[in-house]
Amino acid sequence: MAIAAFAAALAFGTAAQAQSAPADKATAASDSTIMVTIFFKHDQSRPLGELNAQLERQGFYKAFPPEGVEVVSWYVMMGVGQVVTLRLPASQLREVNRVIENSAWGAYHTEFYPTYDYKAVGIAKHATAK
């Protein structure tokens, strides 16, 4: 499933650019740059201290994010876990997946979503509609 999401991320990376041009200062991505949002869902059957100890043993924070990958946002979503949006060269996608497989699995259940920045477009459409 993760591989299908990554393939979709590559496909959506270029399709997203066909949207209306941003009216504000949105960060433009090059054709070879993609964004992916990752849900790190906590294993709620285990206490947080145990999960953090496992992440430490597996080297999660040392390995994630890999070199050359930009963290766009990193939030804690109460009741879910952590939600991280990354901007990266498409060529780094495999490395992101490998790091997560080696260092996050077990403490987290992961979900991946192709992502693009729509904020400026949405705000412009709202302003025009008023």
Side-chain angles (χ1 to χ4, degrees), residues 34-71:
I34 61 172
M35 287 181 19
V36 177
T37 296
I38 306 165
F39 278 47
F40 291 100
K41 294 184 170 186
H42 291 138
D43 177 354
Q44 294 183 4
S45 69
R46 299 167 52 204
L48 184 59
E50 188 178 309
L51 296 174
N52 285 334
Q54 180 176 355
L55 291 169
E56 182 69 30
R57 280 192 314 273
Q58 293 174 182
F60 176 71
Y61 291 108
K62 183 176 182 179
F64 184 84
E67 187 78 26
V69 173
E70 175 191 353
V71 175

Side-chain angles (χ1 to χ4, degrees), residues 9-117:
L10 292 173
F12 281 108
T14 55
Q17 293 174 357
Q19 298 267 342
S20 304
D24 201 59
K25 296 179 183 176
T27 304
S30 73
D31 286 340
S32 63
T33 301
I34 61 172
M35 287 181 19
V36 177
T37 296
I38 306 165
F39 278 47
F40 291 100
K41 294 184 170 186
H42 291 138
D43 177 354
Q44 294 183 4
S45 69
R46 299 167 52 204
L48 184 59
E50 188 178 309
L51 296 174
N52 285 334
Q54 180 176 355
L55 291 169
E56 182 69 30
R57 280 192 314 273
Q58 293 174 182
F60 176 71
Y61 291 108
K62 183 176 182 179
F64 184 84
E67 187 78 26
V69 173
E70 175 191 353
V71 175
V72 175
S73 64
W74 193 328
Y75 295 100
V76 169
M77 186 179 292
M78 292 170 44
V80 174
Q82 297 182 28
V83 180
V84 180
T85 299
L86 304 174
R87 181 178 292 116
L88 58 140
S91 62
Q92 287 286 98
L93 191 57
R94 181 173 184 229
E95 178 64 10
V96 169
N97 185 51
R98 188 193 64 76
V99 164
I100 291 169
E101 287 175 344
N102 288 332
S103 65
W105 284 8
Y108 294 121
H109 300 280
T110 56
E111 294 180 11
F112 300 82
Y113 299 95
T115 306
Y116 59 93
D117 188 348

